[in-house]
Amino acid sequence: MTTNLEFFSIDLTSIIGTLINTLILFLVIKHFLFDKVNAILEARKNEVAQTYEDADEALKNAKELETEYTEKLAGAKEESAEIIRNATKKAQLRSDEIIGEAKNEAHGIMTKANSDIEKEKKRAVNQIKDEISDIAVSIAEKVVSKEIDPKTHEELIESFIDGIGE
């Protein structure tokens, strides 16, 4: 068995040539590829950072809109409560006005009714006095037929009328 050691031999020029080729290849790749890859990575990094900034800005705007909406909603609730209070006050005032008018009208009706009652009472009293006078005249005629002096006759009529009026 013979061994061939040439196959395992180390050639210094081949190693140096391979290293130089690797170094040149590295520099070429670095010059043409790494800078472009780094630029793409940097652009992607900036794009992601911009996306986060936009998301933060959108969140901030959303919170501002929510605050504004909440304030407007509270304002609308206060405004509706104020409208209800005003409507209630107006309704109460109108109700008081209607009640006042009704009381005035009722007072007027009562006054007219009392006036009418007084007139009817006076008319009835006058009618009764007239009837009493007629009765007195008729009694007087009967008494005159008995010959009572005129003074006594007058006194009887007056006392009779006064007694009836009470």
Side-chain angles (χ1 to χ4, degrees):
M1 288 230 199
T2 58
T3 56
N4 190 353
L5 290 179
E6 284 183 24
F7 179 67
F8 291 112
S9 69
I10 298 177
D11 186 13
L12 195 55
T13 54
S14 288
I15 292 176
I16 292 175
T18 302
L19 286 175
I20 290 174
N21 281 338
T22 305
L23 181 63
I24 291 172
L25 183 62
F26 174 75
L27 292 174
V28 168
I29 289 176
K30 181 182 177 206
H31 178 69
F32 289 110
L33 190 61
F34 283 159
D35 290 339
K36 291 181 181 180
V37 169
N38 280 338
I40 290 171
L41 289 177
E42 189 65 30
R44 179 68 179 137
K45 178 181 168 186
N46 291 338
E47 187 178 315
V48 169
Q50 185 63 40
T51 301
Y52 278 123
E53 286 178 17
D54 291 345
D56 289 342
E57 184 68 26
L59 181 62
K60 179 182 171 187
N61 288 339
K63 286 183 179 180
E64 288 174 0
L65 288 174
E66 179 185 20
T67 303
E68 183 180 330
Y69 170 76
T70 304
E71 289 172 359
K72 284 183 179 180
L73 185 61
K77 285 181 180 179
E78 288 177 20
E79 186 177 337
S80 68
E82 183 65 28
I83 289 170
I84 290 171
R85 280 193 296 272
N86 288 339
T88 303
K89 285 179 186 177
K90 285 180 182 178
Q92 184 63 40
L93 289 174
R94 182 63 182 143
S95 172
D96 292 344
E97 184 180 308
I98 290 171
I99 289 171
E101 288 173 2
K103 284 181 179 179
N104 288 340
E105 189 176 328
H107 180 69
I109 291 171
M110 290 294 291
T111 303
K112 185 177 182 302
N114 286 337
S115 174
D116 289 347
I117 289 171
E118 274 302 313
K119 287 178 185 176
E120 278 298 312
K121 185 177 174 183
K122 286 180 183 178
R123 191 182 63 76
V125 167
N126 288 336
Q127 188 177 9
I128 289 173
K129 283 183 180 182
D130 289 344
E131 287 178 11
I132 291 172
S133 293
D134 289 343
I135 292 172
V137 168
S138 126
I139 291 173
E141 285 176 3
K142 288 181 184 179
V143 171
V144 170
S145 63
K146 292 184 182 182
E147 294 190 15
I148 298 179
D149 66 78
K151 184 177 178 186
T152 308
H153 183 252
E154 187 69 31
E155 287 174 2
L156 284 173
I157 291 174
E158 287 297 323
S159 69
F160 182 73
I161 291 174
D162 288 339
I164 299 291
E166 292 174 3

